[in-house]
Amino acid sequence: MENTSKISIVNLNVAAGKTQILKNINIEIPKNKITVILGPSGCGKTTLLKCLNRLTDLYPELKVSGKVMIDGNDVLEAKEDIYQLRQHMGLLSQRPYPLPMNIYNNVAYALKLKGVKKRRDLHKQVVSYLQQANLWEEVKYRMREPASNLSIGQQQRLCLARGLAVSPDIILADEPTSALDPISSQSIEEKFVELKKDYTIVLVTHVLRQAKRIADYVVFMYLGEVIEQGTNFMIFENPKMEKTKQYLGGTFN
């Protein structure tokens, strides 16, 4: 799979004082696929995701070592431009965080950061990204309303549109459907499956059904370690490790 890897994580360790959060993580994340990071709460999934766009820098108590290679560049090197790095990654959190402005400007803001200035170009691209996020038909007559007026599911899709507007290569999603109703969750899942032809998607979840539905590649974590990784079929139909079998079978302690 090395020829199709978008992200290579090599001997990644994260510690807070004497507490080891991630232990010797080695993962090859394939390009233009959905990779699901799966495991119980507290196993290090979110910390792993934060390493990819160096959100770990916001926590000075964390000591990070190892390599996170994206297209051959180690993003953990100090000289890496953090702003440029994050431009290449869209991020969806557990709860949506629309900007405190209207629906239109939530997407336009990201485009302006990218250098789009002309009003006609802005409008055309705002519409395009809202369409990509399956939101345009629901908001096209509400563009001047505050984004906070939208439902939680709509806000999450608005955040997805905003994330896509910075033209990322990678979409990072940290339990993006955990606060959503089943219909909104399905909409986000379907959109991810559609988007993977153009983006590499890394999704953190503890929902087995969701992982099985949409994952191409699965990484199972427990207590800061990667227990097993492989294709959807390998992990769900033919797991090798006893801990994986227990977790998937619901007998996990």
Side-chain angles (χ1 to χ4, degrees):
M1 198 169 61
E2 54 274 5
N3 293 331
T4 59
S5 293
K6 179 70 174 178
I7 305 171
S8 296
I9 300 171
V10 183
N11 296 329
L12 179 65
N13 287 274
V14 178
K18 295 181 178 179
T19 303
Q20 194 77 15
I21 301 171
L22 294 180
K23 307 169 189 174
N24 295 321
I25 304 295
N26 290 277
I27 305 170
E28 296 287 332
I29 294 177
K31 184 176 182 179
N32 296 120
K33 302 289 185 184
I34 299 174
T35 295
V36 168
I37 312 295
L38 184 66
S41 296
C43 71
K45 304 186 299 295
T46 294
T47 300
L48 175 57
L49 207 65
K50 287 178 178 177
C51 289
L52 301 186
N53 65 357
R54 281 182 55 176
L55 281 179
T56 46
D57 287 13
L58 300 176
Y59 306 89
E61 71 275 13
L62 293 182
K63 182 180 179 182
V64 182
S65 64
K67 292 184 178 182
V68 175
M69 309 294 292
I70 298 180
D71 293 330
N73 298 312
D74 184 4
V75 304
L76 296 184
E77 288 188 357
K79 63 185 179 184
E80 187 73 32
D81 186 322
I82 302 299
Y83 178 75
Q84 284 293 110
L85 169 67
R86 291 175 185 154
Q87 285 269 302
H88 290 290
M89 300 189 193
L91 178 64
L92 281 183
S93 303
Q94 291 185 23
R95 290 192 64 84
Y97 292 101
L99 300 173
M101 51 185 69
N102 66 34
I103 295 167
Y104 179 90
N105 283 330
N106 259 267
V107 184
Y109 176 81
L111 292 166
K112 289 174 183 176
L113 286 178
K114 201 171 63 173
V116 181
K117 294 289 192 291
K118 292 183 180 178
R119 183 176 296 182
R120 180 180 296 180
D121 292 341
L122 270 174
H123 180 75
K124 184 177 179 181
Q125 291 190 45
V126 166
V127 171
S128 174
Y129 287 115
L130 287 170
Q131 287 173 332
Q132 284 191 48
N134 285 350
L135 189 58
W136 170 246
E137 290 300 323
E138 296 169 44
V139 302
K140 60 183 177 183
Y141 301 120
R142 305 174 59 189
M143 300 290 273
R144 299 301 169 186
E145 287 186 25
S148 57
N149 284 5
L150 296 174
S151 71
I152 295 296
Q154 289 171 326
Q155 288 182 29
Q156 190 65 297
R157 281 180 283 147
L158 179 64
C159 290
L160 175 59
R162 190 179 71 213
L164 296 176
V166 298
S167 301
D169 303 309
I170 298 164
I171 298 172
L172 306 178
D174 187 3
E175 303 202 29
T177 62
S178 63
L180 306 186
D181 62 87
I183 293 175
S184 296
S185 296
Q186 182 180 357
S187 178
I188 292 288
E189 288 180 13
E190 290 173 351
K191 179 48 60 176
F192 282 160
V193 172
E194 184 181 325
L195 287 172
K196 71 180 181 182
K197 68 181 185 296
D198 298 312
Y199 303 91
T200 298
I201 299 172
V202 184
L203 171 71
V204 163
T205 187
H206 62 270
V207 181
L208 291 174
R209 294 186 305 278
Q210 181 176 73
K212 192 169 185 179
R213 279 194 298 267
I214 67 173
D216 298 299
Y217 195 74
V218 179
V219 179
F220 172 58
M221 294 182 65
Y222 179 62
L223 295 180
E225 296 183 271
V226 172
I227 303 302
E228 190 167 357
Q229 58 184 305
T231 63
N232 187 313
F233 178 82
M234 288 167 62
I235 298 300
F236 285 106
E237 304 301 330
N238 191 29
K240 299 289 192 292
M241 304 301 291
E242 191 59 34
K243 277 194 175 72
T244 312
K245 294 175 184 177
Q246 290 173 356
Y247 186 73
L248 297 178
T251 60
F252 198 74
N253 295 316

